[in-house]
Amino acid sequence: MNQPASTDQTIRFAEKMLELLEEGRFVATYKFAVLLALMDLCFEKNASSGLAPESITTRQLAEKTIEIYWPHTVDYHSISAVLRQNTRRQAEIPAAILKFRRQNAPDPSIPLHRARASAANEYERLLRSVEWTLVEMPLPRLQTIGLSRDTFIYEINWDESVRYRDLKEHFDNNIRFKPGVADHLIQLNGLLRPLIHKKWASMVARINKLPESRLEDFLFGTERISSARIRGSLWEIQDRQCFYCEDRIPKPARGEVDHFIPWSRYPDNGIENLVVAHRRCNGDKRDFLAAAGHVENWTRRFAAPGESSEYAQLARVTQWERDPDKTKSAARSLYLRLSPEARLWSNGKIFVHPDFHRLQAALCT
């Protein structure tokens, strides 16, 4: 089982990742997508104790890759077209997602989870296609710097010679993380994610001959789904109070919907990750992680079983995205790997150190 990595090991891994990101021998954005997907899956697939996963599957990677590319497959405003993600024609994965989207979710505001539910058979075909593309191309080639291959992130049981027929029988679809790597990816998330976003946006800007300044927000900003339609219901569930200071919010329009786990740390629009707060409190918290007391209050929403919680009912009525296990798993990954010297937002301009006993009790039950 993967054990937490030492600081020296994490630094050496970070240095290799920087070398990999500087490598210019690629023509599509797959490298960035796979790295982000691997990082996200490390957040989502950890054990209830908080230990990082030892492996993931190519199917899980394909699901996450589709999720990452989904917001990219709508028209970019300045060119009224979908951005190319390959130096030549459109890359295969975004092209396949775009085809699925045009056939099954032509309204650009439709989120992936709704398109997936309404066109399950078509989504399954898309998933198999994306999985095969990942198996055939980026996964065997990703860990190459210059002419040298260094499997420092993961090991797989195939190479570039794999053929589609190989998937039909006895194919080992596991991507096995090297010892300590899943933990490295979680610990380095705050550094690697913005760097990957910047390099990805820079590459898309070059390919499409566009200024880079607004591309990053388009590609990776909070998914363009208005939270106005659920703000009032969240406000009611919270007894018309600000989630953080617990003072009264006189009406829904006076509150703002905040991602409890900040979007910049881990992108999650799931309904359990959304809270209503005063504009002042939301502005003070910004992209900081909240202190243990807020975490304890937040995790109470996971206590009601299954579909009986108020959040499950609201998600069902509004067709809002929901995956409480994934949301709580991401919180464990973030909080249980904090340094004792980390600063968590409490209120106003006040920050406190992590109370690991309280965090462990709240997140691992």
Side-chain angles (χ1 to χ4, degrees):
M1 183 172 291
N2 281 333
Q3 298 296 323
S6 71
T7 301
D8 287 347
Q9 290 171 329
T10 303
I11 291 172
R12 286 196 294 272
F13 178 81
E15 289 170 346
K16 286 193 171 187
M17 284 292 290
L18 293 175
E19 289 179 14
L20 183 62
L21 289 170
E22 290 300 327
E23 169 58 40
R25 294 168 60 88
F26 53 98
V27 297
T29 58
Y30 290 164
K31 173 191 290 188
F32 305 124
V34 170
L35 290 174
L36 283 180
L38 290 172
M39 195 152 41
D40 284 351
L41 288 167
C42 289
F43 275 88
E44 297 170 15
K45 303 301 180 183
N46 65 68
S48 59
S49 64
L51 284 176
E54 295 180 345
S55 65
I56 58 165
T57 67
T58 54
R59 182 181 176 89
Q60 290 168 338
L61 187 71
E63 290 175 324
K64 180 55 63 174
T65 301
I66 293 170
E67 184 180 318
I68 290 170
Y69 273 118
W70 183 259
H72 302 192
T73 54
V74 296
D75 286 355
Y76 184 59
H77 54 84
S78 69
I79 61 173
S80 299
V82 172
L83 295 166
R84 284 191 299 119
Q85 307 245 2
N86 189 300
T87 54
R88 295 185 285 272
R89 63 186 184 281
Q90 180 62 284
E92 288 184 28
I93 289 176
I97 296 170
L98 180 59
K99 180 180 178 181
F100 168 84
R101 186 164 203 157
R102 285 175 172 166
Q103 293 175 346
N104 301 287
D107 182 344
S109 68
I110 294 176
L112 175 59
H113 76 277
R114 284 175 53 192
R116 185 172 56 219
S118 64
N121 291 337
E122 293 84 352
Y123 176 77
E124 181 63 29
R125 286 194 287 272
L126 170 65
L127 183 58
R128 289 199 298 268
S129 170
V130 171
E131 181 180 15
W132 163 241
T133 301
L134 293 171
V135 166
E136 181 187 32
M137 290 195 287
L139 282 171
R141 302 172 185 174
L142 175 68
Q143 302 175 99
T144 301
I145 301 172
L147 299 176
S148 301
R149 182 160 300 180
D150 181 1
T151 55
F152 70 99
I153 304 173
Y154 57 80
E155 291 182 340
I156 52 177
N157 282 338
W158 69 91
D159 57 24
E160 291 95 329
S161 65
V162 68
R163 295 293 177 265
Y164 189 72
R165 64 177 179 272
D166 299 332
L167 304 184
K168 296 180 181 179
E169 293 185 14
H170 312 301
F171 180 71
D172 180 358
N173 71 342
N174 285 289
I175 302 166
R176 297 175 179 84
F177 291 113
K178 300 298 286 286
V181 162
D183 213 63
H184 295 321
L185 289 172
I186 293 170
Q187 290 177 317
L188 293 168
N189 168 70
L191 297 175
L192 291 178
R193 188 180 298 274
L195 180 59
I196 293 170
H197 285 179
K198 184 172 182 59
K199 287 188 170 293
W200 191 337
S202 178
M203 183 175 182
V204 171
R206 290 197 307 273
I207 290 171
N208 293 274
K209 297 180 171 59
L210 291 168
E212 190 179 329
S213 55
R214 295 186 180 180
L215 270 178
E216 189 171 339
D217 186 60
F218 175 82
L219 295 171
F220 307 110
T222 306
E223 193 168 350
R224 293 166 289 281
I225 302 173
S226 172
S227 59
R229 62 190 173 95
I230 62 166
R231 183 171 53 196
S233 297
L234 289 172
W235 174 72
E236 292 282 1
I237 292 173
Q238 292 177 199
D239 294 327
R240 306 184 179 191
Q241 296 176 337
C242 171
F243 178 82
Y244 297 113
C245 72
E246 299 184 350
D247 286 346
R248 183 172 178 270
I249 299 176
K251 54 185 178 181
R254 295 282 188 90
E256 295 182 345
V257 176
D258 178 46
H259 290 83
F260 184 79
I261 302 171
W263 184 267
S264 63
R265 305 284 187 120
Y266 170 79
D268 181 7
N269 257 335
I271 201 148
E272 273 84 3
N273 194 38
L274 303 179
V275 303
V276 175
H278 284 127
R279 183 172 300 171
R280 181 190 66 253
C281 292
N282 193 22
D284 287 339
K285 176 179 177 283
R286 292 183 287 172
D287 287 340
F288 297 114
L289 291 175
H294 296 308
V295 174
E296 289 171 334
N297 291 337
W298 178 68
T299 53
R300 292 190 182 106
R301 64 186 57 196
F302 297 91
E307 297 302 309
S308 66
S309 78
E310 294 174 294
Y311 296 93
Q313 294 171 31
L314 177 58
R316 188 163 54 249
V317 169
T318 59
Q319 294 186 296
W320 198 270
E321 181 179 356
R322 178 175 186 259
D323 191 336
D325 291 340
K326 181 177 78 172
T327 297
K328 194 172 182 181
S329 178
R332 279 197 302 268
S333 293
L334 281 167
Y335 276 97
L336 300 185
R337 287 169 174 79
L338 290 170
S339 160
E341 291 77 33
R343 309 288 282 184
L344 304 181
W345 179 79
S346 177
N347 62 83
K349 305 302 180 185
I350 298 173
F351 291 80
V352 297
H353 293 303
D355 185 330
F356 288 109
H357 178 74
R358 294 172 68 185
L359 291 171
Q360 183 91 23
L363 293 167
C364 295
T365 55

